[in-house]
Every structure is written in structure tokens, then in C-alpha cells.
Amino acid sequence: MSLRPLAGTARQLYDALVPWINATADPEPLIVRTSGTSGHPKDVILARRALLASADATHERLGGPGQWLLALPPLGVAGLQVLIRSIRADHAPVFVDDFDSLGQAHESMSANRSYVSLVPTQLHRLARAGTLDQLRGFDAVLLGGAAAPADLLDDAKAAGVHVVRTYGMSETSGGCVYDGLPLEEVQLRIGAEGRVHLGGPTLFDGYSGEPEATAAVLSGGWFASADIGAIDEAGLLHITGRVDDVVISGGVNVALPVVTQTIRVSAGVDDAFAVGIDDHEWGQRVVACIVGTADLAAVRDAVEAGGLPRSHAPRQLVRLDALPLLTGGKVDRLALQALAREQTT
């Protein structure tokens, strides 16, 4: 049975994946659509060998196979991998939608080891609700899809939650660097302009119907990501931003992730995300999109108090009840940019 493109409910997809993974002959690859965080979504071609290499390397890194809780959309690569790992571990997954809470879902799990994959937004909401302890019983909580604020990781650690930070994307069959270290056989290097390059058996086969886009990022067995990073003396990868995460405002290069992190920990802010939009006077201006009660003056002061130059402070504030999210749980930056533009027209 061909599974391209992915479709159906989580259970339907799981049932279809079992014969696909266990097929004797090499089956047709899957097509996973990217989230489209910075442009139009692409259809990523993932062969069975790549997905299995990722799943097996994950179990090896975590200390062995176990039972997985699916708490992410199954059509994205992170949710898809939960289903694939479940099949490889020979333990049927548990579906969080069947329960009132993550804690109840975990209580239903019967294997010796238990795992779950989350995005930072989910962890943040548990922290705000004071229910991080629901994750305490998992052998590992994989956290990926976006950078997690240091204070959120500290809160999870204090609650006894074993968080494993993952880095990867659809083009690498999901997370392929755990807590800064590449999985088995995954290759890592820093290329031109500080871009993170990844290689190894988990790489995709290209973008469906887009040979030029494929050639732009995949060459010689290496995938050139849109992320900027560095590798320290211990061999740990540190992501410092994205190619499109730096705006030039008034001639100053402003790294938006750093601004976001500073705003998130300021008084009167429950959640935040900084974006850049075009501006006639400044070239581009920084916009703070926040959930909370802080006003623009307070946010600007907090950015400077956090150690950043005043030139990095937002020049506009968008107040929201909640940050808009894409299907996979990432913040929808394009929606935030559109909201910021609407407020200035």
C-alpha cells in the first residue's frame, strides 16, 4: 500500500504503517509536508531506510525501545516518528486524545520504558498550569520543533522531568541531534555563513516535484539547513538562529530569537515571539507579539535590562490571547507578521 502523501487519523496511519515497515520489498517512500514556517510548505520524500535509521538510532540513544505516547499531529515528521518507533519497539502507541491528561495517558502505559515527544509550547502550557509532574514518569521527554527557553528547561528539571532536547527537521527524518550530540552515523558540520549542515542515513531523498529547491540544499550527501549554529570544543551543537531570524533595523543586525528569549522572561509576559516586518523609516522593525499585560514601554525597558542594546528593543507590540501555532506546534511567524502589518495599516 502506498502512503504518499500521508493522510488519515493517527490510528489509520499506524495501521497502514505496520505493513509498510514490515514489507519484504522496499516500499515507496512517504511524503511529509514541511510546516512552512518561513515560506510555502514543501513535500519531503522520506525513504523507509531513512525513517528506520532515525527510529533505531533514537532507541539506541535513549537506552532501548519502549512504549510511546503520541501527543503530536501524526502527519508531521515528529508525530510520524512516534508511530514508526512504536512499530520498531513492538509496542502499540498510546494516543493522548483518549485521555483527559498526559498523566492519565502515562498511567495506561504498560512497557518497562515509556517515552513522549513534545514541542516547547506544550511544555510551557504544562508549566503555566503547574502540572509538569505529569511528565515525571517518562524515561525521556523528547523536546523539539523550536528552541526551548532556558527557564522552561530549568522548571522541567526541577519537576523531575527528563527532557532530551532534539534538533532536526522533516529533511532529516525528524530529530537527529540530541542534547547537542548527533545520533549514531549522523554527520554534522558548520558550513558557509555559519549554516548547520547535516549528513548520514536519515537524510531525505529530495523535495517532490521541486528539483531546483532540492539542489539548493542537498549536495554531496549534505543537507544545508536554514539554521545558524556553532560546535563547541566538546562537539556539542548550539543553534544561534536562522538565516531569516536576523533583521536589519536602522542599520543594526537584530537576532530575533535573542529578543524573544529576553521578552519571555520579563514581567507581565506569559509568552512572546519577536518578528520583523518592513518599515519605511527603519528598513525593518522588530515587533513583540506577547501574551500578557506588559505594554510596549515595559517590554522595551525589559529588553535593555536583559543586556541587549536599546536598538534591539521592539518598536511595536501586538497583544494576543495565545500565539498562533502551525499544525506541528511551532509558532506561526507568518501569521504574526500579518497581524503586525494589519495594525499599522
Side-chain angles (χ1 to χ4, degrees):
M1 175 183 180
S2 172
L3 291 176
R4 43 182 308 191
L6 297 183
T9 66
R11 282 184 173 79
Q12 289 171 339
L13 183 55
Y14 175 75
D15 290 341
L17 280 169
V18 172
W20 184 83
I21 286 179
N22 295 326
T24 302
D26 198 23
E28 289 190 40
L30 306 187
I31 289 183
V32 177
R33 176 154 288 194
T34 64
S35 60
T37 52
S38 56
H40 76 280
K42 295 181 176 65
D43 289 330
V44 175
I45 303 172
L46 291 173
R48 181 177 63 175
R49 65 180 183 280
L51 289 163
L52 294 186
S54 174
D56 294 344
T58 291
H59 284 148
E60 182 177 349
R61 177 64 60 87
L62 297 181
Q67 191 170 25
W68 286 84
L69 173 63
L70 179 64
L72 295 172
L75 302 186
V77 72
L80 172 65
Q81 275 292 12
V82 167
L83 300 179
I84 290 176
R85 294 171 193 146
S86 297
I87 298 169
R88 292 296 272 183
D90 199 24
H91 287 294
V94 172
F95 301 95
V96 72
D97 290 343
D98 292 339
F99 301 88
D100 293 331
S101 68
L102 283 167
Q104 288 184 9
H106 183 261
E107 289 175 1
S108 75
M109 302 175 78
S110 57
N112 292 331
R113 301 183 67 82
S114 59
Y115 304 116
V116 63
S117 288
L118 301 177
V119 294
T121 299
Q122 292 171 300
L123 194 67
H124 174 74
R125 290 174 178 172
L126 289 171
R128 285 182 59 189
T131 56
L132 280 172
D133 60 307
Q134 294 184 50
L135 300 174
R136 191 178 297 149
F138 288 94
D139 290 275
V141 176
L142 301 190
L143 191 67
D151 62 320
L152 179 59
L153 296 175
D154 290 341
D155 289 344
K157 184 177 181 180
V161 181
H162 179 206
V163 171
V164 177
R165 295 174 295 109
T166 72
Y167 168 74
M169 56 283 299
S170 300
E171 291 88 345
T172 60
S173 300
C176 60
V177 178
Y178 284 20
D179 284 335
L181 285 176
L183 294 178
E184 186 71 21
E185 297 189 32
V186 170
Q187 299 170 329
L188 172 66
R189 73 182 185 188
I190 303 300
E193 302 177 341
R195 284 199 181 204
V196 177
H197 287 205
L198 298 159
T202 68
L203 284 189
F204 74 133
D205 287 348
Y207 297 118
S208 179
E210 299 191 55
E212 292 183 0
T214 300
V217 296
L218 191 61
S219 177
W222 289 94
F223 167 67
S225 77
D227 296 305
I228 305 297
I231 301 173
D232 65 20
E233 294 180 354
L236 299 176
L237 173 66
H238 300 273
I239 301 299
T240 57
R242 286 175 56 91
V243 174
D244 54 1
D245 268 343
V246 176
V247 300
I248 303 176
S249 183
V252 177
N253 289 349
V254 179
L256 294 175
V258 179
V259 176
T260 293
Q261 292 172 16
T262 306
I263 297 172
R264 273 181 177 156
V265 298
S266 59
V269 176
D270 295 323
D271 203 358
F273 199 87
V275 297
I277 63 173
D278 292 339
D279 185 278
H280 291 302
E281 179 180 359
W282 300 99
Q284 291 175 297
R285 71 174 175 273
V286 179
V287 180
C289 303
I290 76 161
V291 178
T293 59
D295 59 19
L296 180 59
V299 168
R300 286 176 59 82
D301 290 343
V303 168
E304 188 172 16
L308 296 179
R310 189 72 174 184
S311 58
H312 287 50
R315 302 181 184 278
Q316 179 184 345
L317 185 140
V318 174
R319 197 186 309 279
L320 301 163
D321 293 329
L323 295 179
L325 303 178
L326 295 165
T327 303
K330 296 181 182 179
V331 174
D332 189 341
R333 71 176 66 201
L334 297 182
L336 292 177
Q337 289 172 329
L339 289 171
R341 293 189 191 99
E342 288 176 6
Q343 288 194 5
T344 59
T345 57

